[in-house]
Amino acid sequence: MTDKEEKSPGTLYIAATPIGNLEDITLRCLRVLGDVDLIAAEDTRHTRKLLTHFQISTPLISYYREKEAIRASQLIKRLLDSESIALVSDAGTPGISDPGAVLVGLAHANNIRVVPLSGPSAVTTALSVAGLTNPHFLFLGFAPSKKSQRRTLLTSLIDAPWPLVFYESPRRIEGLLADIMNTMGDRNAFWARELTKSYEELKKGSISSFLEHATATTNRGEFVLVVEPGESVEAEGANLSELLLWYRDNTSLSLKDVSRKLAGDLGLSRSQVYQKALHVYKKKAEPQS
Ligand code: SAM
């Protein structure tokens, strides 16, 4: 090829890898991982183990959240230079609560072919065994780690008519369950721990029973939590004061959570609703969380 001839770009493969059981890798994924010029991996040491298991010796380069923008432009250059690249994350499907979106976005912008290698993802794996008849679900991924932000998110979802799917780490599962209990009440839920692994644990039950279980045991492993919708009850009240009183008398939400919810529902500032709530509930301000 002379310098003047245009090279055609390589292909970017987005490759799903197992979330536990290595037998869950697809034949297509194995073939492509062996054929590409380069594998971009969230953690190269982790992916090296997977590749060694399947006797694949394709070179690896790191691609993780903190370096996503810089690394994505380097990879785009190589793709434009006709190299083919596969992106993998530590487990499951890249881009699903994992890095990938920046690279995929740039690839589309540069007319580079993007090919998904479909396969495992914890969200679909959990839902496949949750036995929910509702045909819809809302995937939230990780709830915010900061408690106040988490409670703001949860209060905004109280009336959502769909099952809510959360990812969570062992360190934070208790906090998430406690906040769900305090904002949404004791809902029906599905707990999927260590999916496809030796200590897989699948349970249907109430949030309070999972909270008890989580408090009593060592929470090793990774979790998907599916929270079913609550019974929809229409709040009654012609103005903010009446609505505040209705929530006080008909729910177990704290004054702060009622303020968060009504501020979101009515498009008012939270401090404005909070001040009004203090007045209506005849309470003193609580410390900030
Ligand atoms: N990209 C992945 C996917 O497609 O599912 C998700 C990556 S995210 C960083 C990791 C989270 O996914 C974990 O904290 C956990 O909530 C969930 N997860 C991953 N593997 C799991 C497993 N084997 N069992 C239960 N949850 C899992």
Side-chain angles (χ1 to χ4, degrees):
M1 188 187 292
T2 67
D3 283 352
K4 285 199 176 143
E5 276 179 88
E6 276 215 356
K7 288 179 178 172
S8 50
T11 300
L12 173 64
Y13 296 92
I14 305 302
T17 55
I19 57 169
N21 193 320
L22 292 187
E23 286 182 22
D24 289 342
I25 200 157
T26 69
L27 295 175
R28 187 178 177 211
C29 186
L30 286 178
R31 176 177 54 76
V32 172
L33 291 181
D35 283 353
V36 287
D37 298 301
L38 185 66
I39 298 173
E42 195 183 359
D43 178 342
T44 50
R45 281 168 308 175
H46 184 94
T47 300
R48 173 64 62 212
K49 286 186 199 146
L50 176 82
L51 297 183
T52 305
H53 180 87
F54 290 108
Q55 297 170 350
I56 293 171
S57 54
T58 306
L60 280 162
I61 190 168
S62 64
Y63 183 90
Y64 51 92
R65 188 78 76 195
E66 293 73 18
K67 257 196 160 182
E68 209 175 350
I70 249 183
R71 194 59 106 205
S73 18
Q74 293 166 347
L75 294 177
I76 292 294
K77 274 199 195 114
R78 294 178 72 155
L79 284 157
L80 290 172
D81 214 18
S82 298
E83 287 190 46
S84 55
I85 298 177
L87 176 71
V88 301
S89 54
D90 285 353
T93 304
I96 307 300
S97 298
D98 262 339
V102 177
L103 178 60
V104 170
L106 271 183
H108 287 306
N110 283 277
N111 293 320
I112 291 165
R113 189 165 169 236
V114 181
V115 175
L117 302 179
S118 66
S121 187
V123 49
T124 47
T125 307
L127 285 169
S128 74
V129 286
L132 300 177
T133 49
N134 192 320
H136 311 286
F137 67 89
L138 186 60
F139 176 60
L140 280 313
F142 291 101
S145 54
K146 221 171 153 228
K147 194 179 173 68
S148 60
Q149 289 173 2
R150 191 162 66 216
R151 286 178 85 119
T152 302
L153 173 76
L154 294 173
T155 50
S156 76
L157 293 167
I158 288 174
D159 299 326
W162 318 287
L164 309 172
V165 185
F166 293 96
Y167 279 173
E168 200 44 280
S169 68
R171 256 181 322 116
R172 297 203 331 229
I173 188 74
E174 259 183 85
L176 176 67
L177 288 164
D179 282 344
I180 292 173
M181 185 75 195
N182 290 327
T183 52
M184 301 181 153
D186 198 7
R187 301 238 177 135
N188 291 328
F190 181 70
W191 155 292
R193 188 176 75 91
E194 294 286 81
L195 284 159
T196 78
K197 301 186 193 176
S198 322
Y199 295 102
E200 183 175 75
E201 191 178 54
L202 308 176
K203 287 169 184 284
K204 261 182 176 296
S206 60
I207 293 291
S208 59
S209 69
F210 295 150
L211 185 55
E212 211 173 293
H213 182 62
T215 314
T217 52
T218 324
N219 299 306
R220 290 214 194 84
E222 304 182 275
F223 298 83
V224 179
L225 184 71
V226 185
V227 183
E228 294 193 37
E231 279 169 34
S232 71
V233 188
E234 192 82 16
E236 287 167 26
N239 53 42
L240 183 55
S241 303
E242 286 180 21
L243 283 167
L244 284 165
L245 286 173
W246 186 90
Y247 276 99
R248 185 195 65 182
D249 298 339
N250 293 281
T251 71
S252 55
L253 286 175
S254 70
L255 185 148
K256 270 190 184 172
D257 288 330
V258 171
S259 307
R260 283 189 180 101
K261 168 140 183 56
L262 283 176
D265 288 356
L266 305 174
L268 299 170
S269 90
R270 213 161 86 196
S271 63
Q272 188 187 347
V273 180
Y274 182 62
Q275 290 309 321
K276 184 81 178 173
L278 286 174
H279 181 72
V280 170
Y281 285 29
K282 296 190 175 45
K283 279 202 170 172
K284 291 210 172 90
E286 294 168 23
Q288 292 302 307
S289 64

